[in-house]
Amino acid sequence: MGVLSEALAGQEGVKQASVRLRQPQRRQMAMVVTCRDDLVDAGHTVRMVQAVVEKLDLSRFHEPIKARQGQAGRDATDPQLLVALWLYACIRGIGSARELARRCEDSAAFRWLCGGVSVNHHLLSDFRTDHGAALDALFTQVIASLVDKDVVRVSRVSQDGVRVRLSAGASSFRREERLEKLLEEARQHVDQLRRQVDSPEHAALTARKKAARKRAAAEKIERLEQAIAQLPELKQKQAEAARQAGHGKRGQQIRARQPRVSTTDAEARVMKMPNGGFNPAVNVQLAADTESRAIVGVEVSNEGSDSAGLSEPMRRQVEERSGGKVQQHLIDGGYLRVQDIERAHTHEVELFVPPKPARQAHRRGRELQPLPTDSEAVLAWKQRMADEAGKEIYKQRAATSETVNGDLRSYRGLTQITVRGLNKARCVALWCALAYNLMHFGRILLA
């Protein structure tokens, strides 16, 4: 009993003893010597991004800068830093200026890029979309460098379109009558606002707040005017669609519709999305080299259908950027138009595009059979698509374009475009395409 009592007493003593823990001491002063270059290791991706950007010619980004030697004013933020920030942000799938500004404070890699230079979301957002021509030239510069290094050969390219959701709400689309009424109300609101902010009752408002209220009202009027300006084009397209549909039930349905335009993004269009739903979106067209899978062409359209003549302009763009000649152009069946086949044949380009299924059941499976009315270009296309060698070539379309589309949507942030207008949306698409090429060919560009 004595031994047992001593053992129990020992256990009770163990239970009663306090535990020893390491606890944070947040008020403890410390002398810390750090170097920003030690924030990331030598093999980090962000170092590769910075090294590539340092080799690029960014002179076109410098042209609009007003801060010059011998003139008063604060220094401008280096475009090299802003280009590197957005490229690395797109590589990481970040598509928001506010999120990028937060990362510049919290993330070691972004803080390494900044090197002590402060940025805010206004600066980042404006830089992202205000340099369309310079950004386009930068994309061409990267393509030309890959061509010089024999990485990219544009003799065979694959093109595909991906519909990307816009931030415009579905409920923002209005008919012409409603748009006219909203515009009149907005103009009356501006007149009232001007009288209010200038009255003695609002003397407490600062000049900055008064200017902000006036600017917001003026921007609303501008957006409504832009929406109304889109109506003639939509009416023309509707009339053309009704003419092609004929005088049957389908044609009557098209004529009965009234065109609607978004009051927040006049160039947005409602499109059928990959999930089967309908949302405001843009059609981002991408061309890729089938050998290297580098993106060599980018365009943004508000055409909901790929059959709106989007293949030939893309082919010209690729040839202008690369300086090469496209000999084989791979596209899916949504692009198929006889006039495109004819024009491609005229320019000695082999167009690889599958035929549309025949409407008559007895013709299905025989769409590629030659007909007496077929032109030379159509006969060559049918023979090319029916041949086994042509079928093997066409398999590269899905293997190339679907891979590129998946990469941009999954990893480069091309999931939703939060800017307004086709020009700004094109800038977003160019940033994503540049990030894709930099991620896959950055080491080669540095060689």
Side-chain angles (χ1 to χ4, degrees):
M1 290 295 292
V3 176
L4 182 58
S5 299
E6 291 178 1
L8 291 174
Q11 291 179 1
E12 290 177 359
V14 172
K15 291 179 180 180
Q16 293 174 357
S18 60
V19 295
R20 292 182 294 115
L21 301 174
R22 293 188 303 138
Q23 296 178 331
Q25 302 295 327
R26 298 181 180 88
R27 300 182 64 85
Q28 176 66 45
M29 300 294 293
M31 297 292 292
V32 181
V33 179
T34 62
C35 175
R36 290 191 181 96
D37 196 51
D38 296 333
L39 290 172
V40 295
D41 57 50
H44 201 286
T45 304
V46 73
R47 290 184 180 271
M48 181 267 292
V49 172
Q50 178 63 27
V52 173
V53 172
E54 288 175 354
K55 293 186 63 176
L56 297 174
D57 179 11
L58 304 179
S59 58
R60 297 193 63 172
F61 289 93
H62 289 254
E63 293 174 1
I65 296 177
K66 296 181 180 179
R68 302 288 175 175
Q69 290 289 345
Q71 298 181 6
R74 64 179 297 180
D75 295 344
T77 305
D78 190 355
Q80 185 181 98
L81 167 61
L82 298 174
V83 169
L85 282 173
W86 271 117
L87 286 177
Y88 186 62
C90 290
I91 286 176
R92 296 291 302 274
I94 300 170
S96 165
R98 290 182 182 273
E99 177 62 22
L100 177 53
R102 284 192 289 268
R103 295 294 183 95
C104 289
E105 296 179 357
D106 302 336
S107 170
F110 286 101
R111 286 192 290 119
W112 179 87
L113 271 178
C114 289
V117 177
S118 61
V119 294
N120 58 53
H121 70 273
H122 289 293
L123 171 66
L124 294 169
S125 180
D126 291 343
F127 184 83
R128 186 189 191 190
T129 57
D130 285 354
H131 301 80
L135 187 59
D136 188 83
L138 185 64
F139 183 72
T140 300
Q141 188 182 153
V142 171
I143 297 303
S145 181
L146 292 175
V147 171
D148 290 341
K149 295 179 181 295
D150 292 328
V151 176
V152 169
R153 300 178 181 87
V154 297
S155 58
R156 181 183 296 165
V157 298
S158 174
Q159 180 182 351
D160 195 18
V162 54
R163 292 169 179 80
V164 183
R165 180 75 161 86
L166 292 175
S167 58
S171 60
S172 67
F173 285 77
R174 297 287 187 269
R175 296 180 177 88
E176 183 176 10
E177 182 179 356
R178 181 59 176 163
L179 287 172
E180 296 285 358
K181 184 178 180 180
L182 289 173
L183 180 58
E184 181 62 27
E185 292 176 354
R187 286 171 176 166
Q188 293 176 3
H189 175 68
V190 169
D191 293 337
Q192 294 175 1
L193 184 64
R194 286 172 180 169
R195 290 193 295 269
Q196 288 176 359
V197 297
D198 295 335
S199 65
E201 298 176 1
H202 294 80
L205 288 176
T206 63
R208 184 174 182 180
K209 289 184 177 180
K210 290 180 180 180
R213 292 186 180 184
K214 291 179 180 180
R215 183 172 61 252
E219 288 176 353
K220 184 176 181 180
I221 291 179
E222 183 181 0
R223 290 196 298 269
L224 288 168
E225 290 175 344
Q226 290 174 352
I228 293 174
Q230 294 287 320
L231 288 171
E233 179 185 352
L234 292 177
K235 290 179 179 178
Q236 182 179 356
K237 290 182 178 180
Q238 183 180 13
E240 179 63 21
R243 186 188 65 80
Q244 294 180 357
H247 297 283
K249 184 177 180 181
R250 175 61 178 168
Q252 293 176 0
Q253 290 176 343
I254 295 176
R255 292 182 182 89
R257 296 173 184 168
Q258 295 186 30
R260 299 192 303 168
V261 188
S262 172
T263 56
T264 57
D265 189 351
E267 293 182 304
R269 298 291 182 268
V270 176
M271 302 181 185
K272 188 173 183 179
M273 305 301 286
N275 61 4
F278 291 84
N279 297 111
V282 289
N283 190 349
V284 179
Q285 294 288 317
L286 300 167
D289 176 50
T290 57
E291 184 175 347
S292 63
R293 295 188 182 178
I295 298 177
V296 292
V298 178
E299 194 53 77
V300 175
S301 167
N302 57 8
E303 295 289 346
S305 172
D306 291 334
S307 62
L310 302 178
S311 60
E312 186 177 2
M314 178 61 75
R315 189 163 59 246
R316 289 199 303 266
Q317 180 190 145
V318 171
E319 292 176 344
E320 290 173 1
R321 292 190 189 280
S322 64
K325 176 70 171 66
V326 176
Q327 299 174 357
Q328 295 178 332
H329 193 173
L330 283 57
I331 52 180
D332 64 35
Y335 292 85
L336 180 60
R337 298 196 316 172
V338 175
Q339 54 265 46
D340 289 338
I341 296 175
E342 299 280 357
R343 292 183 66 84
H345 185 77
T346 302
H347 292 91
E348 299 180 349
V349 177
E350 295 181 347
L351 205 62
F352 287 80
V353 50
K356 294 181 179 179
R359 295 182 179 180
Q360 298 85 3
H362 68 279
R363 286 282 303 165
R364 289 173 188 167
R366 297 187 295 171
E367 292 86 357
L368 293 176
Q369 289 184 356
L371 298 175
T373 57
D374 289 341
S375 64
E376 180 183 353
V378 173
L379 286 173
W381 163 68
K382 287 184 175 181
Q383 181 179 2
R384 186 162 57 244
M385 296 306 298
D387 187 67
E388 290 300 322
K391 293 178 181 178
E392 289 298 318
I393 291 175
Y394 186 71
K395 288 180 180 179
Q396 297 181 21
R397 190 210 68 82
T400 303
S401 290
E402 299 302 335
T403 301
V404 171
N405 292 347
D407 187 289
L408 292 180
R409 294 179 73 91
S410 300
Y411 305 112
R412 313 300 163 216
L414 196 64
T415 54
Q416 182 174 359
I417 295 177
T418 56
V419 297
R420 295 169 178 162
L422 291 180
N423 290 334
K424 292 185 177 181
R426 188 172 185 270
C427 289
V428 173
L430 281 169
W431 281 115
C432 294
L434 271 167
Y436 170 92
N437 285 342
L438 203 64
M439 186 63 188
H440 291 278
F441 306 101
R443 304 297 178 188
I444 297 175
L445 290 170
L446 291 174

